[in-house]
Amino acid sequence: MSTLPWYEDVSPGRGTLPPRAWYARSDAAALSLNGDWAFRLSPTADAEDESFAAPDFDAGAWGAVTVPGHWVLQNTAYGGPAGGRYGDASAGEYDGPVYTNVRYPFPVDAPHVPTENPTGDHLRRFDLPADWPAAGGAVLRLDGVESCARVWLNGTELGEFKGSRLAHEFAVGHLLKPRDNVLALRVHQWSSGSYLEDQDQWWLPGVFRDVTLLHRPEGAPGDFFTHASYDHVTGTGTLRVECDVPGRVTVPELGLDLATGEAATVPVEPWSAEIPRLYEAELAAGGERVPLRVGFRTVAVENGVLTVNGRRVLFRGVNRHEFHPEHGRSLDLATMRQDVELMKRHNINAVRTSHYPPHPAFLDLCDTYGLWVIDEGDLETHGFEESAWEGNPVDDPRWTPALLDRAARLVERDKNHPSVVMWSLGNECGTGTGLTAMARWIRDRDPSRLVHYEGDRSCADTDVYSRMYPPHAEVDEIGRRADEGPENRRRLPFILCEYAHAMGNGPGGLADYQRLFETHERCQGGFVWEWIDHGLVHPVHGYGYGGDFGEELHDGNFVCDGLLFPDRTPSPGLLEYKKVVEPVRIAAGGDAGTVLVTNGHDVADLAHLAFTWSFLADGESLAAGPLEVPALAAGASARITLPAPPAHPVHAETLWTVRALLAHDTAWAPAGHEIAWGQIPATAPARRTPLPPLRPTRTDDRTALGPAVFDSRTGLLLALGSLPVTAGPRLDVWRAPTDNDEGAPWQPDERHGPLWRALGLHRMRHRTDEVVTKEAGLTVRSRVAPAASDVGLRTTYRWTSDGTALRLDVEVVPEGDWRVPLPRLGVRLGLPAALDRAVWYGAGPGEAYPDTREAARLGHWEATVDALHTPYLRPQENGARIATRWVELTSPTAGVRVEGDPVFAFTARRWTTAQLDAAAHRGDLVPGDTLWLHLDHAQHGIGSQSCGPGVLPEYRLDAAPAAFSLAFTSLG
């Protein structure tokens, strides 16, 4: 029997030091080894050739790679094919990123990996600084290497390790020289560890986190554990710092000077995500001084509710993979800070570090800015689900040491962060004895935090009940503790570790989830999947997704499912989420002229906010001013009297807008940043009166009606005043299916996108049955239906005019057995492409749909036509502006005004729906010579069915009799 090579062995490695706490700095010397390294890439794992690790090896013929980084994202740096980075056969199968969701991109034969195993040899020569201390030892620290590494220093092998998103250290003091040290790494893309890292992301090999040489003074601490609890009854905190060597801990602000291991209880201000109070401290031991930041807080489950410092916590969270569109999982501090600040600005208060521990500096930022963290282990074996979990490593005792190593490296590295309130064993691993062993070890090591894992419905090893993507009705049932299942599970708090799949246009139904979280004490919020689209920079497509880099196996754009676009521009989904989870509720007060303000924070009062009011008439602000709101405690409400309304037109639609703004600058946003808002109607809009009839006039092939000209045979509008209409208004029911319309194939519910295509709604045919010219106007009767089906829509268009405006009344009556909802119901017309500016009175400023409309507020808005488009990475339906009262589309010389009776939704774009539907990337959309204007009476909801539930019943657009009216006026 042959012995497995080290990279296929199931052990976690050898030669590494025990895991310990990470800290950003101390007064001990440190040398970053980041930068340019010599690099050689081989297509296979040649375990025999280790000559490159010799100190005198000449790597002059090698290329170079930047560390931290992934070699598959830098291949031109080491002589890759110029202009052919990805998908070029000459580059080899190993020369590019690979995206899979569940499936392993190699044969499943654990612990074996293919012979075709791209292997990157790395070399770094370095000198010690002149002031490097002569006494003491040194540690080489590698914070992240995918998927494994074998390490040499000055020709001596140090050992090897697996666990890509985990820190590993080696003792190297005895090997260091003042000059010309040679550090050598051999990194394999695939290893037995890859079976534990099937984490729905790009597979990106390389040394992608920092490499650092750390001096260790004689007697310096190897590890320490800061215990800082808070008693919410007495208002005191208890501090005790365990250390593996004797030392002293000082906290000047609290007047504390303690021996390590000694406890002290003093009055303190607690740490929370809303008020992240940190105390500066210092650990001095063995010639090293380590700065500490202490946050006092206590995590518990009380009466089935998760509490921190005695208060129920509601997670307004996101899942966060580490991602940069150019650098993959290699993130610098500025990018991490940008993420945290964006989260705070959008009312996000929690992060699940899916599906591995993040760069440790990210948790420092969470401590500083204030975010609750579920810190997740570097573990997922999802691909074994394809074989009914046969051979799953988490239920194979041979793998348990590797699992325990991952648990220990998670906890020991991150245990001193107050932001971390839960340890998560991993993600989508099924169940097994290895997970139980991990949970037991974590509880023994750190009983001060909760243990999380979603995959075991029995909750035998967890302290919370966690689910992914349950439908709203099930969340309601769980919230009432009426769900079936083990009795012990019904006593646990409930969270959604993943929900509201943010893929493409959406997610829909967020507000409906949030109402359940705020209704049921047990339902303590959730974590949207996920933070950012993982679109990698691509030489052709701008941003690429699965399949764009020459992969033989991939899962397409399922990797683009975030609230941010790859360049970290917020998507409409993030703006919707900000509104849905805003921690202050502003609503009508019940009595005329009042507003009800409710503080939805977990801890903070409203002293940090300033409130304003404005009074709008037909979308125009007539007056504004400050609004006095008391500093309400968390959970409290107050009814506030608004000022007397200013003078306004009698028939105007009026409403109040009340906003909650930061009163002072914070670390993450300036004073004036909007936290929450609400609109309170004052008077309803007046309905549009019908136009007085104007008799149409007809020639042989043209019919004139006021400012309009029609085709006498078809009844289609040809011109409105001087404005040509390139395609007259016709009933339109099709939209380019969203990712959520298409749904996921594993879901039991009907997926509307495929059903719509099967029925033929993308190829509707229009039959004109009658064109009637009467004194009251022009009437066109038609039938709109798909080929090969007996269902249809009887449609009547009635045109009238008063000589200036042109009114269209549309009636639709379904025929046949419609078993699927309609994508949309409205009319579409073609206008000159010169119309490039939109001004409207309605909801805005961004897109909105029936179940994604919380962030849309009523007002006057304007944008270029191009800016109305939302650039989803896979093009799909987008850009609808709902609740529109009127819109004007103009060029410098012409334009059209459309009014609703009372409202409609409009979408304007420079390509047809068919072109939008056919496009795979943004660059496939090429503007044409027509502006296509969609005027919708209704749209089907969005839902979250790309991975979550579909559209709720109240947002379905079922085929039913409908009538709507529009009025058109030529401008210019």
Coordinates of all heavy atoms in Angstrom, one line a residue, residues 114-186:
P114 N -6.7 15.3 -7.9 CA -6.1 14.9 -9.2 C -4.6 15.1 -9.3 O -4.0 15.9 -8.6 CB -6.8 15.8 -10.2 CG -8.0 16.3 -9.4 CD -7.7 16.4 -8.0
T115 N -4.0 14.3 -10.2 CA -2.6 14.6 -10.5 C -2.4 16.0 -11.1 O -1.4 16.6 -10.9 CB -2.1 13.5 -11.5 OG1 -2.2 12.2 -10.9 CG2 -0.6 13.7 -11.9
E116 N -3.4 16.4 -11.9 CA -3.4 17.7 -12.5 C -3.7 18.7 -11.3 O -4.9 19.1 -11.1 CB -4.4 17.9 -13.6 CG -4.1 17.1 -14.8 CD -4.7 15.6 -14.7 OE1 -5.3 15.3 -13.7 OE2 -4.6 14.9 -15.7
N117 N -2.7 19.0 -10.6 CA -2.8 19.8 -9.4 C -1.9 21.0 -9.4 O -0.7 20.9 -9.1 CB -2.5 18.9 -8.1 CG -2.8 19.6 -6.8 OD1 -3.3 20.7 -6.8 ND2 -2.6 18.9 -5.7
P118 N -2.4 22.1 -10.0 CA -1.5 23.3 -10.1 C -0.7 23.6 -8.8 O -1.3 23.7 -7.8 CB -2.5 24.4 -10.5 CG -3.6 23.7 -11.2 CD -3.7 22.4 -10.5
T119 N 0.5 23.8 -9.0 CA 1.4 23.9 -7.8 C 2.3 25.2 -8.0 O 3.0 25.3 -9.0 CB 2.3 22.7 -7.6 OG1 1.5 21.6 -7.4 CG2 3.3 22.9 -6.5
G120 N 2.2 26.1 -7.0 CA 3.0 27.3 -7.1 C 4.1 27.3 -6.1 O 3.9 27.2 -4.9
D121 N 5.3 27.3 -6.6 CA 6.5 27.5 -5.7 C 6.8 29.0 -5.6 O 6.9 29.7 -6.6 CB 7.7 26.7 -6.3 CG 7.5 25.2 -6.3 OD1 6.8 24.7 -5.4 OD2 8.0 24.5 -7.2
H122 N 7.0 29.4 -4.3 CA 7.2 30.8 -4.0 C 8.5 30.9 -3.3 O 8.9 30.2 -2.4 CB 6.1 31.3 -3.0 CG 4.7 31.2 -3.5 ND1 4.1 30.0 -3.8 CD2 3.8 32.2 -3.8 CE1 2.8 30.3 -4.2 NE2 2.7 31.6 -4.2
L123 N 9.3 32.0 -3.6 CA 10.6 32.3 -3.0 C 10.6 33.7 -2.6 O 10.3 34.6 -3.4 CB 11.8 32.0 -3.9 CG 12.2 30.5 -4.0 CD1 13.3 30.4 -5.0 CD2 12.6 29.9 -2.7
R124 N 11.1 34.0 -1.4 CA 11.3 35.4 -0.9 C 12.6 35.5 -0.1 O 12.8 34.8 0.8 CB 10.1 35.7 0.0 CG 10.2 37.1 0.7 CD 9.9 38.2 -0.3 NE 9.4 39.4 0.4 CZ 10.1 40.4 0.9 NH1 11.5 40.3 0.8 NH2 9.6 41.4 1.4
R125 N 13.5 36.3 -0.6 CA 14.7 36.6 0.1 C 14.6 37.9 0.9 O 14.0 38.8 0.4 CB 15.9 36.8 -0.9 CG 16.2 35.5 -1.7 CD 17.4 35.6 -2.6 NE 17.8 34.4 -3.3 CZ 18.6 33.5 -2.8 NH1 19.2 33.7 -1.6 NH2 18.8 32.3 -3.4
F126 N 15.1 37.9 2.1 CA 15.0 39.1 2.9 C 16.1 39.2 3.9 O 16.7 38.2 4.3 CB 13.6 39.0 3.7 CG 13.5 37.9 4.7 CD1 13.8 38.1 6.0 CD2 13.0 36.7 4.3 CE1 13.7 37.1 6.9 CE2 12.9 35.6 5.2 CZ 13.2 35.8 6.6
D127 N 16.4 40.4 4.3 CA 17.4 40.7 5.4 C 16.6 41.1 6.6 O 15.5 41.7 6.5 CB 18.3 41.8 4.9 CG 19.1 41.5 3.7 OD1 19.4 40.2 3.5 OD2 19.5 42.4 2.9
L128 N 17.2 40.9 7.7 CA 16.6 41.4 9.0 C 17.0 42.9 9.1 O 18.0 43.3 8.7 CB 17.2 40.6 10.2 CG 16.8 39.1 10.3 CD1 17.4 38.5 11.5 CD2 15.3 39.0 10.3
P129 N 16.1 43.6 9.6 CA 16.4 45.1 9.9 C 17.6 45.2 10.8 O 17.9 44.3 11.6 CB 15.1 45.6 10.6 CG 14.0 44.6 10.2 CD 14.7 43.3 10.0
A130 N 18.3 46.3 10.6 CA 19.5 46.5 11.4 C 19.2 46.5 12.9 O 20.1 46.1 13.7 CB 20.2 47.8 11.0
D131 N 18.0 46.9 13.3 CA 17.7 47.0 14.8 C 17.0 45.7 15.2 O 16.3 45.8 16.3 CB 16.9 48.2 15.1 CG 15.6 48.3 14.3 OD1 15.4 47.4 13.4 OD2 14.8 49.2 14.5
W132 N 17.0 44.7 14.4 CA 16.3 43.4 14.9 C 17.0 42.9 16.1 O 18.2 42.7 16.1 CB 16.3 42.4 13.8 CG 15.4 41.2 14.1 CD1 15.8 40.0 14.6 CD2 14.0 41.1 13.8 NE1 14.8 39.2 14.7 CE2 13.6 39.8 14.2 CE3 13.1 41.9 13.2 CZ2 12.3 39.3 14.1 CZ3 11.8 41.4 13.0 CH2 11.4 40.1 13.5
P133 N 16.2 42.6 17.2 CA 16.9 42.2 18.5 C 17.6 40.9 18.3 O 17.2 39.9 17.6 CB 15.7 42.1 19.4 CG 14.6 42.9 18.8 CD 14.8 42.8 17.4
A134 N 18.8 40.8 19.0 CA 19.6 39.6 18.9 C 19.0 38.5 19.8 O 19.1 37.3 19.6 CB 21.0 39.9 19.2
A135 N 18.5 38.9 21.0 CA 17.9 38.0 22.0 C 16.5 37.6 21.6 O 15.8 38.3 20.9 CB 18.0 38.6 23.4
G136 N 16.1 36.5 22.2 CA 14.7 36.0 22.0 C 14.6 35.2 20.7 O 15.6 34.8 20.1
G137 N 13.3 34.8 20.4 CA 13.0 34.0 19.3 C 12.3 34.7 18.2 O 12.2 36.0 18.2
A138 N 11.8 34.0 17.3 CA 11.0 34.6 16.2 C 10.0 33.6 15.7 O 10.2 32.4 15.8 CB 11.9 35.0 15.0
V139 N 8.9 34.1 15.2 CA 7.8 33.3 14.6 C 7.5 33.8 13.2 O 7.4 35.0 13.0 CB 6.5 33.4 15.5 CG1 5.3 32.9 14.8 CG2 6.8 32.7 16.9
L140 N 7.3 32.8 12.3 CA 6.9 33.1 11.0 C 5.4 32.9 11.0 O 4.9 31.8 11.3 CB 7.6 32.2 10.0 CG 7.0 32.3 8.5 CD1 7.4 33.6 7.9 CD2 7.6 31.1 7.7
R141 N 4.6 33.9 10.6 CA 3.1 33.8 10.6 C 2.6 33.9 9.2 O 2.9 34.9 8.4 CB 2.5 34.9 11.5 CG 1.0 34.8 11.6 CD 0.5 35.8 12.5 NE -1.0 35.7 12.7 CZ -1.6 35.1 13.7 NH1 -0.8 34.4 14.6 NH2 -2.9 35.0 13.8
L142 N 1.8 32.9 8.8 CA 1.1 33.0 7.5 C -0.4 33.0 7.8 O -1.0 32.1 8.4 CB 1.4 31.8 6.6 CG 2.9 31.6 6.3 CD1 3.6 30.6 7.1 CD2 3.1 31.3 4.8
D143 N -1.1 34.1 7.4 CA -2.5 34.3 7.8 C -3.5 33.6 6.8 O -4.7 33.5 7.2 CB -2.8 35.8 7.9 CG -2.3 36.4 9.2 OD1 -2.7 35.8 10.3 OD2 -1.5 37.3 9.2
G144 N -3.1 33.2 5.6 CA -4.0 32.6 4.7 C -3.3 32.1 3.5 O -2.7 32.9 2.7
V145 N -3.4 30.8 3.2 CA -2.8 30.2 2.0 C -3.8 29.1 1.5 O -4.2 28.3 2.2 CB -1.5 29.5 2.3 CG1 -0.9 28.9 1.0 CG2 -0.5 30.5 2.9
E146 N -4.2 29.2 0.2 CA -5.1 28.2 -0.4 C -4.3 27.4 -1.3 O -3.7 27.9 -2.2 CB -6.2 28.9 -1.1 CG -7.2 28.0 -1.7 CD -8.5 28.6 -2.3 OE1 -8.8 29.7 -1.9 OE2 -9.0 28.0 -3.2
S147 N -4.4 26.0 -1.2 CA -5.2 25.3 -0.2 C -4.3 24.7 0.9 O -4.8 24.2 1.9 CB -6.0 24.2 -0.9 OG -5.1 23.1 -1.3
C148 N -3.0 24.7 0.7 CA -2.1 24.1 1.7 C -0.7 24.6 1.4 O -0.5 25.2 0.3 CB -2.1 22.6 1.6 SG -1.6 21.9 0.0
A149 N 0.2 24.5 2.3 CA 1.5 25.0 2.0 C 2.6 24.1 2.8 O 2.3 23.6 3.9 CB 1.7 26.4 2.5
R150 N 3.7 23.9 2.1 CA 4.9 23.3 2.7 C 5.9 24.4 2.8 O 6.1 25.2 1.8 CB 5.3 22.1 1.9 CG 6.3 21.2 2.6 CD 6.6 20.0 1.7 NE 7.5 19.1 2.4 CZ 7.9 17.9 1.8 NH1 7.5 17.6 0.6 NH2 8.7 17.1 2.5
V151 N 6.6 24.5 3.9 CA 7.4 25.7 4.2 C 8.8 25.3 4.5 O 9.1 24.4 5.3 CB 6.8 26.5 5.4 CG1 7.5 27.9 5.5 CG2 5.3 26.7 5.1
W152 N 9.8 26.1 4.0 CA 11.2 26.0 4.3 C 11.8 27.3 4.6 O 11.3 28.3 4.0 CB 12.0 25.4 3.1 CG 11.7 24.0 2.7 CD1 12.4 22.9 3.0 CD2 10.7 23.6 1.8 NE1 11.9 21.8 2.4 CE2 10.8 22.2 1.6 CE3 9.6 24.2 1.1 CZ2 9.9 21.4 0.8 CZ3 8.8 23.5 0.3 CH2 8.9 22.1 0.2
L153 N 12.7 27.4 5.5 CA 13.5 28.6 5.7 C 15.0 28.3 5.7 O 15.4 27.4 6.5 CB 13.1 29.2 7.1 CG 13.8 30.5 7.4 CD1 13.5 31.6 6.4 CD2 13.5 31.0 8.8
N154 N 15.7 28.9 4.8 CA 17.1 28.7 4.7 C 17.5 27.3 4.5 O 18.4 26.7 5.1 CB 17.9 29.3 5.9 CG 17.7 30.8 5.9 OD1 17.7 31.5 4.9 ND2 17.7 31.4 7.1
G155 N 16.6 26.6 3.7 CA 16.9 25.2 3.4 C 16.4 24.2 4.4 O 16.4 23.0 4.1
T156 N 15.9 24.6 5.5 CA 15.4 23.7 6.5 C 13.8 23.7 6.4 O 13.2 24.7 6.5 CB 15.8 24.1 7.9 OG1 17.2 24.1 8.0 CG2 15.2 23.2 9.0
E157 N 13.3 22.4 6.3 CA 11.9 22.3 6.2 C 11.3 22.6 7.6 O 11.7 22.0 8.6 CB 11.5 20.9 5.8 CG 9.9 20.8 5.6 CD 9.5 19.4 5.1 OE1 10.4 18.6 4.7 OE2 8.3 19.2 5.1
L158 N 10.2 23.5 7.6 CA 9.5 23.8 8.9 C 8.3 22.9 9.1 O 8.0 22.7 10.3 CB 9.1 25.3 8.8 CG 10.2 26.3 8.6 CD1 9.6 27.7 8.6 CD2 11.2 26.3 9.7
G159 N 7.7 22.5 8.0 CA 6.5 21.7 8.2 C 5.5 22.1 7.1 O 5.8 22.7 6.1
E160 N 4.2 21.6 7.3 CA 3.2 21.9 6.3 C 1.9 22.1 7.0 O 1.7 21.7 8.2 CB 3.1 20.8 5.2 CG 2.5 19.5 5.7 CD 3.6 18.4 6.0 OE1 4.7 18.6 5.6 OE2 3.2 17.4 6.6
F161 N 0.9 22.7 6.3 CA -0.4 22.9 6.9 C -1.5 22.9 5.9 O -1.2 23.2 4.7 CB -0.4 24.1 7.8 CG -0.2 25.4 7.0 CD1 -1.2 26.1 6.3 CD2 1.1 25.9 6.9 CE1 -0.9 27.3 5.7 CE2 1.4 27.1 6.2 CZ 0.3 27.8 5.6
K162 N -2.7 22.7 6.3 CA -3.9 22.9 5.6 C -4.9 23.7 6.4 O -4.7 23.8 7.6 CB -4.6 21.5 5.2 CG -3.6 20.5 4.6 CD -4.3 19.2 4.3 CE -3.3 18.1 3.9 NZ -2.6 17.6 5.1
G163 N -5.9 24.3 5.8 CA -6.8 25.2 6.4 C -6.5 26.6 5.8 O -5.8 27.4 6.4
S164 N -7.2 26.8 4.7 CA -6.8 28.0 3.9 C -7.0 29.3 4.6 O -6.2 30.3 4.4 CB -7.6 28.0 2.6 OG -7.3 26.8 1.8
R165 N -8.2 29.5 5.3 CA -8.5 30.8 5.9 C -8.1 30.8 7.3 O -8.7 31.6 8.1 CB -10.0 31.0 5.7 CG -10.4 31.8 4.5 CD -10.1 31.2 3.2 NE -11.0 30.0 2.9 CZ -10.9 29.3 1.8 NH1 -9.9 29.5 0.9 NH2 -11.7 28.3 1.6
L166 N -7.1 30.1 7.7 CA -6.7 30.0 9.1 C -5.2 30.4 9.2 O -4.4 30.2 8.3 CB -6.8 28.6 9.6 CG -8.3 28.0 9.6 CD1 -8.3 26.5 9.8 CD2 -9.2 28.8 10.6
A167 N -4.8 30.9 10.4 CA -3.4 31.4 10.6 C -2.6 30.2 11.1 O -3.0 29.3 11.8 CB -3.4 32.5 11.6
H168 N -1.4 30.2 10.6 CA -0.4 29.1 11.0 C 1.0 29.8 11.3 O 1.4 30.7 10.5 CB -0.2 28.1 9.9 CG -1.5 27.3 9.6 ND1 -2.5 27.8 8.8 CD2 -1.9 26.1 10.1 CE1 -3.5 26.9 8.7 NE2 -3.2 25.9 9.5
E169 N 1.6 29.3 12.3 CA 2.9 29.9 12.7 C 3.9 28.8 12.9 O 3.6 27.7 13.2 CB 2.7 30.7 14.0 CG 1.9 31.9 13.9 CD 1.8 32.7 15.2 OE1 1.9 32.0 16.3 OE2 1.7 33.9 15.2
F170 N 5.2 29.2 12.6 CA 6.3 28.3 12.8 C 7.4 29.1 13.7 O 7.6 30.3 13.5 CB 6.9 27.9 11.5 CG 6.0 27.1 10.6 CD1 5.3 27.8 9.6 CD2 6.0 25.7 10.7 CE1 4.4 27.0 8.8 CE2 5.1 25.0 9.9 CZ 4.4 25.7 8.9
A171 N 8.1 28.3 14.5 CA 9.2 28.9 15.3 C 10.4 28.9 14.4 O 10.8 27.8 13.9 CB 9.5 28.1 16.5
V172 N 11.0 30.1 14.2 CA 12.1 30.2 13.2 C 13.3 30.9 13.7 O 14.3 31.1 13.0 CB 11.6 30.9 11.9 CG1 10.5 30.0 11.2 CG2 11.1 32.3 12.2
G173 N 13.3 31.3 15.0 CA 14.4 32.1 15.5 C 15.7 31.5 15.3 O 16.7 32.2 15.0
H174 N 15.8 30.2 15.5 CA 17.1 29.5 15.4 C 17.6 29.4 14.0 O 18.8 29.0 13.8 CB 16.9 28.1 16.0 CG 15.9 27.2 15.3 ND1 14.6 27.5 15.3 CD2 16.1 26.1 14.5 CE1 13.9 26.6 14.6 NE2 14.8 25.7 14.1
L175 N 16.8 29.7 13.0 CA 17.2 29.6 11.6 C 17.6 30.9 11.0 O 18.1 31.0 9.9 CB 16.1 28.9 10.8 CG 15.8 27.5 11.2 CD1 14.6 27.0 10.4 CD2 17.0 26.5 11.0
L176 N 17.2 32.0 11.6 CA 17.4 33.3 11.0 C 18.9 33.8 10.9 O 19.7 33.5 11.8 CB 16.6 34.4 11.7 CG 15.1 34.3 11.6 CD1 14.4 35.3 12.6 CD2 14.7 34.6 10.2
K177 N 19.2 34.5 9.8 CA 20.5 35.1 9.6 C 20.3 36.6 9.5 O 19.2 37.1 9.0 CB 21.1 34.5 8.4 CG 21.3 33.0 8.4 CD 22.0 32.6 7.1 CE 21.2 32.9 5.8 NZ 21.9 32.4 4.6
P178 N 21.3 37.4 9.8 CA 21.1 38.9 9.6 C 20.8 39.2 8.1 O 20.0 40.1 7.9 CB 22.5 39.4 10.0 CG 23.0 38.4 10.9 CD 22.6 37.1 10.4
R179 N 21.4 38.5 7.2 CA 21.2 38.8 5.8 C 20.9 37.5 4.9 O 21.3 36.4 5.3 CB 22.4 39.5 5.2 CG 22.8 40.8 5.9 CD 23.9 41.6 5.2 NE 23.7 41.9 3.8 CZ 22.9 42.9 3.4 NH1 22.3 43.7 4.3 NH2 22.7 43.0 2.1
D180 N 20.3 37.8 3.8 CA 20.1 36.8 2.8 C 19.4 35.5 3.3 O 19.8 34.4 3.1 CB 21.4 36.4 2.2 CG 21.2 35.7 0.8 OD1 20.1 36.1 0.1 OD2 22.0 34.9 0.4
N181 N 18.2 35.7 4.0 CA 17.4 34.6 4.4 C 16.5 34.3 3.2 O 16.1 35.1 2.4 CB 16.4 35.0 5.6 CG 17.2 35.3 6.8 OD1 17.6 34.3 7.5 ND2 17.5 36.6 7.1
V182 N 16.2 33.0 3.1 CA 15.4 32.5 1.9 C 14.2 31.7 2.5 O 14.4 30.7 3.1 CB 16.2 31.6 1.0 CG1 15.4 31.1 -0.1 CG2 17.5 32.3 0.5
L183 N 13.0 32.3 2.2 CA 11.8 31.6 2.6 C 11.2 31.0 1.4 O 11.0 31.7 0.3 CB 10.8 32.6 3.2 CG 9.4 32.1 3.6 CD1 9.5 31.0 4.7 CD2 8.6 33.3 4.2
A184 N 10.9 29.7 1.5 CA 10.3 29.0 0.3 C 9.0 28.3 0.7 O 8.9 27.8 1.8 CB 11.3 27.9 -0.1
L185 N 8.0 28.5 -0.2 CA 6.7 27.9 0.0 C 6.3 27.0 -1.2 O 6.5 27.5 -2.3 CB 5.6 28.9 0.2 CG 5.8 30.0 1.3 CD1 4.6 30.9 1.3 CD2 5.9 29.3 2.7
R186 N 5.8 25.9 -1.0 CA 5.1 25.1 -2.1 C 3.7 25.1 -1.8 O 3.2 24.6 -0.7 CB 5.7 23.7 -2.2 CG 5.0 22.8 -3.1 CD 5.8 21.7 -3.6 NE 6.8 22.1 -4.6 CZ 7.7 21.3 -5.1 NH1 7.9 20.1 -4.6 NH2 8.6 21.8 -6.0

